[in-house]
Amino acid sequence: MKIIAQAIRVIDYEKNIISKRKIMTNFQEYVEQLIDYIGGNNLVRKYKTQSLSTEVITEILQITRHQDENDLITQSVDIIANRLLRKEKEANE
C-alpha cells in the first residue's frame, strides 16, 4: 500500500476546535494495521456513498487527483475535519 499524504487532525467537540498533530514515525504501520483490522472485522459496516458530489467525497477525489500539491491536500484535510466537527455539533443539537 502506498500512502500518498499524511495528516492527523484532532477534533475537540467540547471546545469546538480542530488542531494539527505531528505525524508519528510509525504512521505507515499504524495505517496498515488499522486497514487490516477494519477489513477483517465483520462488525464494521461498509459505507456506500449516495453521490460522488458530497463534500467529503469531493475532497478525497481532489486529494487523489493532486497528490503532489501539499497545500491543496492540507486544505482538503482541513475541510473534511471541519465537516466532521460541524455534523457532530448538528447531531448533538
Side-chain angles (χ1 to χ4, degrees):
M1 169 183 24
K2 178 184 174 190
I3 294 179
I4 60 172
Q6 299 180 28
I8 298 175
R9 298 296 182 266
V10 178
I11 303 172
D12 187 328
Y13 296 108
E14 291 178 12
K15 294 181 182 175
N16 199 35
I17 59 171
I18 297 170
S19 56
K20 296 178 183 179
R21 178 172 286 168
K22 189 175 180 179
I23 302 295
M24 55 199 135
T25 55
N26 61 343
F27 188 73
Q28 170 96 21
E29 181 182 337
Y30 169 74
V31 170
E32 289 173 356
Q33 289 175 355
L34 188 59
I35 290 171
D36 286 344
Y37 172 75
I38 292 169
N41 188 338
N42 294 333
L43 300 176
V44 175
R45 294 187 303 172
K46 296 185 190 256
Y47 177 79
K48 286 191 175 185
T49 183
Q50 303 267 339
S51 167
L52 291 177
S53 63
T54 65
E55 191 173 10
V56 172
I57 298 300
T58 299
E59 295 306 321
I60 292 169
L61 293 173
Q62 183 89 320
I63 290 169
T64 61
R65 282 193 292 266
H66 302 280
Q67 297 177 23
D68 296 329
E69 297 180 40
N70 289 334
D71 290 341
L72 192 104
I73 291 171
T74 299
Q75 180 182 4
S76 291
V77 168
D78 290 338
I79 289 170
I80 293 168
N82 278 298
R83 176 172 168 76
L84 289 171
L85 176 58
R86 192 172 65 247
K87 290 300 179 179
E88 183 64 24
K89 282 178 51 181
E90 288 175 13
N92 285 329
E93 289 177 357

